[in-house]
Amino acid sequence: MDTICYLLVIAWFNIQVVETYPQCLRGCSCVEDRHGRSLVCMEESAFGAIPENLPDDMTKIRIEKSHFTEIPRGAFSQTPALENLWLNFNDITVINSKGLEGLGNLTELRLQGNKLRSVPWTAFEDTPALKILDLKHNQLDVLPEHALKFLPDLTYLDLSFNRLTVISKEVFQNWPLYQKLQNTEERDGTAFQTNVVLALHDNTWVCDCRLKGFVEFIRSLSPPIILMNSYLTCSGPDFKAGKFFHEVELQVCVKPIITTPSSNINLPQGANLTLRCSAKARPDPAVWWTYGLKIIRGFHVDEDTIRSLLVIPSLHAADRGVYTCTAVNFIGNSSVSILLDVHSPDGSQSLVLSENPPPPAASDENVYIDIHIAKQTVRGITIEWYAALDHPAETWFTIHFGLAGNNKKEMIFIGPGIHSYSVSDLMPATKYEICVSLKNQAPRNGQCIVFVTGSDITEMEQREKLIHIVVIVLAMVLAVPLGMYACTTDTKFVCLEGIMESWKNRRRERSSSGMEHERQGTFDSLQAASDEGLVNKDSSEDRKVRRRSDDRQPKGKADQSRLAAELY
Ligand SMILES: *[C@@H]1O[C@H](CO)[C@@H](O)[C@H](O)[C@H]1NC(C)=O
Ligand SMILES: *[C@@H]1O[C@H](CO)[C@@H](O)[C@H](O)[C@H]1NC(C)=O
Ligand SMILES: *[C@@H]1O[C@H](CO)[C@@H](O)[C@H](O)[C@H]1NC(C)=O
């Protein structure tokens, strides 16, 4: 009987609690205890976004499993007393850099099990009292050097189960708390009372020279800084996968040194030539040839050397010139030039610069080349093409690439059997044209793609991005994609008009509904464009462009999360 009475009292009390907060949100419970007032929303998918009408006196908010994707600007500015904010197991992909505005009393932020690929670390300028930051089980792949700069009072930082590969030790050296510790340690070993717990395990650490500083930092840690799990392991490179940090010896990074066995070559016409260069660098450099690129190959000779071969089958006089092999890693670059001269088979020097290689075989002349954009990388594209050829093993192609409307195009020769080519380092807001033609033919109708890169970076994002890029260079991961649109030459006019129109629309959207929407529009068009196959011989291209802009509204949230995932 007593028990029942007790339960009734509890039940009554609970009802009272709920009743005293008629403003408590649906799907949530509001509780008051000696620590303050809490809002707890644990109902699956209770909200698609952070509710705007949060009761303003809360000191603790816990919203889980609601599947919202964003912490927008000022999301909690109505609840300035907030101290504990738990947003675990949602689908958060974007935190606005002003998303924590007004939370000067926040001490605990838990974002476990979301989909963050990046965090705008400057947002923590608004939360100087933060002590606990839990980012476990997200998808973070970079930590900018200034990540911890605005978190001077952290006592618990959990970055475990993310996708961090390379971070520099400066991340921690720039952490005010670590700096303070270094100083107090020099003066007095016991000045620091509380422990600081770092969880960094279960990331995909790549144990090459770039991680050297961090590995040394980890090994040097001592109380009051404690690792939750001190067995950090390497995920790569392959031969170090699974090794513990304390087992690996990492060497310092070195800038590329490139060499070639012969820098001056003179061969008769028709000869087959292989140019060679070797690049020594740590970490592995990117190696490429400039001039005529026929076949490019880079392969490892030993851990630190990459050898690259450029094969030029059947030399003609037009192949004469300077070939440059370049190797670049994040520390620097190095290149070597090879001067090639080609003389006629009778042995006499070919004084007449015949710039016309032999005419292409007649049967190949009108081959139709189907070309499309296969992939958009961060600042570039990859095209692929298909041609029904009589002699696929012998037929080479020429890529013509440059600014659209400018007749001077860069020409890149592609050897037989290769059907894709990537361009990188595209500039924003620029119209480019890329064509593939057979052998040395001039490009024809239908062999070109015109595309425009977007430029939708606000000043705020730009700054955040700059911070990123610093590390991105280190981590060899690239940052923010440009919006991109593609058209074929066939439908160039109509399509470009469509782009202009959609740009205008988007600009209007921007002024009405702000930045996030803008991004979404960009990505949608981009995605739609690649979904539909960028080369569309169909003259209804303009209709499609318009349909895309119409599609944009209803597609809504689902796409936004995908966009955001791509953005960071
Ligand atoms: C923040 O915390 C301080 C100290 O506990 C308190 O005096 C102040 O009222 C709090 N601010 C808000 C907006 O609740
Ligand atoms: C060049 O290579 C091709 C294909 O490998 C071969 O058929 C041809 O005989 C070679 N030419 C010379 C001059 O070695
Ligand atoms: C190579 O390094 C020089 C400076 O040392 C720089 O000006 C140049 O842009 C670099 N080239 C590449 C391809 O990174």
Side-chain angles (χ1 to χ4, degrees), residues 265-467:
I265 295 173
N266 190 339
L267 280 176
Q269 273 189 32
N272 294 331
L273 170 64
T274 303
L275 300 178
R276 290 157 208 279
C277 77
S278 299
K280 250 184 171 330
R282 223 180 289 127
D284 287 347
V287 181
W288 65 78
W289 292 87
T290 43
Y291 184 91
L293 179 137
K294 286 181 180 168
I295 294 177
I296 178 159
R297 272 194 217 131
F299 51 85
H300 284 265
V301 178
D302 61 46
E303 196 188 328
D304 294 330
T305 309
I306 285 189
R307 187 168 293 164
S308 179
L309 305 180
L310 177 71
V311 179
I312 309 175
S314 186
L315 284 178
H316 348 104
D319 292 325
R320 303 152 99 229
V322 177
Y323 291 75
T324 305
C325 177
T326 305
V328 177
N329 70 8
F330 79 99
I331 305 183
N333 64 54
S334 161
S335 52
V336 65
S337 294
I338 300 176
L339 177 64
L340 172 66
D341 199 2
V342 179
H343 56 259
S344 28
D346 57 29
S348 70
Q349 205 73 10
S350 66
L351 293 174
V352 189
L353 259 176
S354 145
E355 290 295 337
N356 302 319
S363 64
D364 278 341
E365 243 172 9
N366 275 312
V367 167
Y368 168 72
I369 303 181
D370 184 24
I371 150 175
H372 64 277
I373 294 185
K375 200 166 86 186
Q376 292 160 358
T377 53
V378 176
R379 275 180 247 129
I381 57 163
T382 299
I383 57 162
E384 284 178 2
W385 60 91
Y386 171 78
L389 299 169
D390 293 334
H391 308 287
E394 286 160 32
T395 310
W396 51 279
F397 299 91
T398 305
I399 305 270
H400 308 257
F401 173 68
L403 300 180
N406 183 344
N407 284 333
K408 267 188 71 180
K409 297 261 190 314
E410 192 183 328
M411 295 213 282
I412 301 116
F413 306 108
I414 305 287
I418 294 177
H419 297 284
S420 70
Y421 181 74
S422 300
V423 284
S424 55
D425 289 329
L426 296 174
M427 290 180 295
T430 307
K431 191 161 85 180
Y432 290 100
E433 184 172 36
I434 187 162
C435 311
V436 182
S437 67
L438 208 58
K439 299 186 176 174
N440 56 319
Q441 293 172 356
R444 304 174 186 190
N445 253 2
Q447 296 181 343
C448 296
I449 293 179
V450 174
F451 60 91
V452 182
T453 55
S455 72
D456 292 306
I457 302 162
T458 64
E459 203 197 330
M460 184 61 80
E461 285 175 295
Q462 190 90 45
R463 246 185 295 147
E464 206 65 54
K465 199 179 101 187
L466 279 180
I467 299 175

Side-chain angles (χ1 to χ4, degrees), residues 129-173:
L130 200 63
K131 289 191 165 12
I132 297 174
L133 178 58
D134 182 358
L135 291 163
K136 182 160 53 190
H137 285 292
N138 276 282
Q139 302 168 10
L140 301 179
D141 52 11
V142 293
L143 271 197
E145 287 185 10
H146 296 287
L148 306 181
K149 188 169 171 191
F150 300 114
L151 294 164
D153 285 335
L154 273 193
T155 52
Y156 178 82
L157 172 65
D158 196 338
L159 291 165
S160 59
F161 297 95
N162 276 279
R163 298 183 185 163
L164 298 170
T165 52
V166 175
I167 65 179
S168 68
K169 65 171 190 280
E170 279 78 16
V171 171
F172 295 95
Q173 283 175 350

Side-chain angles (χ1 to χ4, degrees), residues 235-274:
S235 288
D238 286 346
F239 64 97
K240 285 187 186 139
K243 287 229 162 76
F244 294 117
F245 273 23
H246 58 258
E247 292 176 324
V248 294
E249 249 347 291
L250 298 180
Q251 292 173 290
V252 291
C253 295
V254 292
K255 117 181 206 198
I257 300 166
I258 206 160
T259 51
T260 181
S262 47
S263 59
N264 218 324
I265 295 173
N266 190 339
L267 280 176
Q269 273 189 32
N272 294 331
L273 170 64
T274 303

Side-chain angles (χ1 to χ4, degrees), residues 510-560:
R510 184 207 313 242
S511 42
S512 59
S513 62
M515 184 186 86
E516 297 305 326
H517 206 96
E518 174 68 8
R519 284 182 184 167
Q520 182 188 342
T522 316
F523 188 75
D524 262 2
S525 333
L526 189 158
Q527 190 63 27
S530 47
D531 287 346
E532 281 169 25
L534 292 165
V535 178
N536 210 315
K537 310 288 176 201
D538 187 343
S539 63
S540 65
E541 185 65 30
D542 61 333
R543 269 209 325 270
K544 289 189 174 168
V545 169
R546 236 163 261 145
R547 188 166 57 72
R548 273 174 222 152
S549 4
D550 295 340
D551 276 351
R552 221 172 274 150
Q553 300 305 111
K555 269 182 158 180
K557 288 290 172 203
D559 279 1
Q560 201 164 329

Side-chain angles (χ1 to χ4, degrees), residues 196-200 218 221 225-232:
V196 179
V197 177
L198 293 179
L200 295 164
I218 290 294
L221 282 182
I225 299 189
I226 296 170
L227 286 175
M228 178 181 279
N229 176 345
S230 54
Y231 289 92
L232 301 188

